[in-house]
Amino acid sequence: MSLPLQGMSALVTGAGRGLGRAEALELARLGAAVVVNDYGQPGRDGSGSASAGPAEQVAAEIRAAGGTALAHTGDVSDFAQAREMVESVIAEYGRLDILVNNAGILRDRMVFSMTEDEWDSVIRVHLKGHFNTTRFAAAHWRERSKATGAPVYGRIVNTSSEAFLAGSAGQPNYAAAKGGIVGLTTSTALALARYGVTANVICPRARTRMTEDVFAGLARPADGGLDPLAPEHVAPLVGYLASPAASRINGQLLVVHGGMVAVVERPRVRAKFDSKQETFSHDELDALLTPHYAERPAGETFGAAEVLRLGREQP
């Protein structure tokens, strides 16, 4: 039986645990050869002897299931290491077909308490990390397309968050980085469409090591069933977006968790006001905007808080 990703190669960042691990396993299950990236060095087992790090453990899991995988421990936030990461996939498998950007960290704090390093580190790993790998993958696809004079196969799946969509008071750095990733994705989608490449972004909700404090108050199923916050609910959508079946999906944002996928509409203009003079005066703006916002719900912002209430409808 032919698998949808048979013969393709993929790079998944932050794939040693949690969401990235589930995504790497799913891509391999669908037939892709996977480079599993997770920053760090091999750890130590209980005896003090060297042991395989998370990336190698996931790669070994894929190989044990009959798939093809290699581990990579480079830092996505380092421009040169990201280039080497992409080049390692091309050197090993001949080309890169799928890029899944998942690597990230949290440094949560209210904006009035946040340190410069807490801001910079989150922006660097999430936003710059997404750019770094995208930059070199995009160059690879453009060069291949120009060499043949025809479109190539390329898929980018980026990772944003509901923290960007709804706003998250204690995560100004994370929300900003995730919003930037959406802008990066839509720009990339337009730039690479001519070469046959699509770029989409997901907002997953999952219980992982990074989010264990965020979801600490939500209990796991008492009957031992699949946790609604399990990363396994997210991975199938990533596999689908990476596949030929999703060729018409480009520059889109989808929320996914707990057996549910929601397609998020682009922003629309709510109201438009024109100045009666060459430019607005304070009084004219007061006469137009003040009553407009007086009729809007108190506390409403540009953030779409309703996404936090989305969930799978039980059959």
Side-chain angles (χ1 to χ4, degrees):
M1 181 180 68
S2 177
L3 297 172
L5 303 183
Q6 192 72 49
M8 299 184 192
S9 61
L11 169 62
V12 184
T13 70
R17 303 178 178 89
L19 273 173
R21 172 184 173 275
E23 292 162 354
L25 292 174
E26 176 68 6
L27 294 179
R29 189 186 70 81
L30 295 177
V34 183
V35 170
V36 179
N37 163 258
D38 199 81
Y39 178 57
Q41 301 297 323
R44 298 260 170 199
D45 61 24
S47 66
S49 301
S51 62
E56 176 53 35
Q57 291 172 10
V58 176
E61 189 175 354
I62 290 172
R63 294 192 296 268
T68 301
L70 292 174
H72 193 287
T73 57
D75 180 358
V76 296
S77 71
D78 183 285
F79 195 68
Q81 291 186 47
R83 175 170 54 197
E84 194 279 328
M85 194 181 304
V86 171
E87 290 176 348
S88 71
V89 183
I90 299 166
E92 184 66 27
Y93 301 122
R95 68 178 194 266
L96 172 66
D97 300 295
I98 300 158
L99 169 63
V100 179
N101 282 309
N102 170 76
I105 61 172
L106 288 180
R107 298 291 185 270
D108 294 351
R109 201 176 300 275
M110 299 296 285
V111 68
F112 43 76
S113 302
M114 183 161 288
T115 68
E116 182 181 17
D117 183 66
E118 287 167 341
W119 173 270
D120 288 348
S121 61
V122 168
I123 298 297
R124 185 177 65 250
V125 175
H126 286 273
L127 184 52
K128 187 185 178 188
H130 271 62
F131 161 72
N132 284 346
T133 53
T134 297
R135 155 65 174 89
F136 295 110
H140 167 66
W141 288 319
R142 179 174 178 269
E143 290 167 6
R144 282 176 50 204
S145 179
K146 291 182 70 174
T148 62
V152 299
Y153 188 97
R155 296 285 188 269
I156 299 174
V157 182
N158 287 334
T159 308
S160 183
S161 170
E162 292 167 296
F164 150 69
L165 285 173
S168 180
Q171 297 180 304
N173 48 2
Y174 184 69
K178 291 306 191 182
I181 287 167
V182 174
L184 171 65
T185 304
T186 54
S187 175
T188 301
L190 292 174
L192 299 187
R194 71 182 70 180
Y195 305 116
V197 179
T198 67
N200 294 289
V201 59
I202 63 170
C203 291
R205 190 186 302 178
R207 195 193 308 269
T208 67
R209 190 176 68 156
M210 192 177 83
T211 62
E212 59 186 354
D213 292 337
V214 177
F215 299 124
L218 299 177
R220 300 174 188 271
D223 60 4
L226 185 63
D227 187 349
L229 292 172
E232 286 74 17
H233 288 297
V234 176
L237 177 61
V238 173
Y240 167 74
L241 292 173
S243 76
S247 62
R248 288 180 56 84
I249 304 175
N250 192 29
Q252 301 298 309
L253 189 154
L254 302 97
V255 176
V256 55
H257 58 82
M260 179 219 75
V261 173
V263 177
V264 179
E265 184 62 279
R266 66 186 185 276
R268 295 184 179 275
V269 176
R270 172 71 175 263
K272 177 178 175 291
F273 303 96
D274 297 314
S275 171
K276 290 183 172 58
Q277 298 79 233
E278 184 176 3
T279 188
F280 280 110
S281 67
H282 172 84
D283 289 343
E284 189 178 17
L285 288 170
D286 181 27
L288 293 171
L289 293 179
T290 301
H292 172 76
Y293 280 100
E295 297 173 359
R296 301 279 289 271
E300 180 186 74
T301 73
F302 185 76
E306 62 271 19
V307 300
L308 300 179
R309 298 189 290 271
L310 291 174
R312 177 174 178 264
E313 294 183 10
Q314 297 301 317

